[in-house]
Amino acid sequence: MKVEKMLYNEVTKENLNQMVLLFYSKVLKDSVVAPFFIEKLGDDMKNDKWRPHLEILTNFWASIALGDSAYRGSPFAPHLDIEGISREAFQGWLRLFYETQDSIYVPEIADFFKNRSTLIAGNFMRNLGV
């Protein structure tokens, strides 16, 4: 007997945090994307560099999906310092992000996040010249 996993049919700060944690656990296992994050943050998501990063990203997505005002920053600026970032890395990031959305949210919400992430990644690639 196959057990269906329940997908969230609403966005909350709690399930956004769950989404961010699941996504970055996948990122750290990806041979193309992981090196960029490991170089800046290390390979342990419980360390003192990762914890604030995960909170920032939860707040970032909450600002987009919920209009939450806790995010205070520029999402593009940190990417300016990443040496060797490539279109392949962004495409890998998007693939992992899409997979995560499909495993957390119902299709309508997953598609919302996929569309927003595609726009964001496209702008980042264009602005970084990759």
Side-chain angles (χ1 to χ4, degrees):
M1 180 164 109
K2 183 178 179 181
V3 177
E4 291 286 325
K5 181 180 177 188
M6 293 295 294
L7 300 175
Y8 293 110
N9 61 8
E10 69 175 322
V11 179
T12 66
K13 194 107 177 223
E14 292 76 25
N15 63 42
L16 281 171
N17 184 251
Q18 183 181 350
M19 179 270 288
V20 166
L21 292 171
L22 177 61
F23 171 64
Y24 282 99
S25 70
K26 292 180 181 199
V27 163
L28 286 176
K29 295 175 187 164
D30 186 87
S31 63
V32 173
V33 183
F36 296 103
F37 290 90
I38 292 170
E39 180 181 329
K40 297 287 183 187
L41 303 169
D43 61 1
D44 179 4
M45 288 175 41
K46 294 179 181 158
N47 75 26
D48 290 338
K49 290 182 180 178
W50 268 103
R51 281 195 307 265
H53 183 71
L54 297 168
E55 183 179 346
I56 287 168
L57 289 170
T58 297
N59 289 335
F60 171 76
W61 288 110
S63 74
I64 289 175
L66 303 171
D68 187 287
S69 62
Y71 177 73
R72 303 250 191 267
S74 168
F76 179 68
H79 296 82
L80 290 169
D81 297 335
I82 301 174
E83 182 126 353
I85 198 159
S86 65
R87 180 169 291 276
E88 180 187 17
F90 275 105
Q91 291 169 338
W93 187 97
L94 280 171
R95 177 183 45 78
L96 296 170
F97 194 77
Y98 281 23
E99 286 174 12
T100 304
Q101 300 318 302
D102 289 336
S103 69
I104 295 282
Y105 294 111
V106 295
E108 298 80 26
I109 296 172
D111 287 346
F112 168 80
F113 284 112
K114 290 177 191 178
N115 290 334
R116 291 308 294 263
S117 65
T118 300
L119 289 172
I120 292 165
N123 287 333
F124 282 19
M125 285 187 283
R126 192 170 29 265
N127 291 331
L128 291 169
V130 297

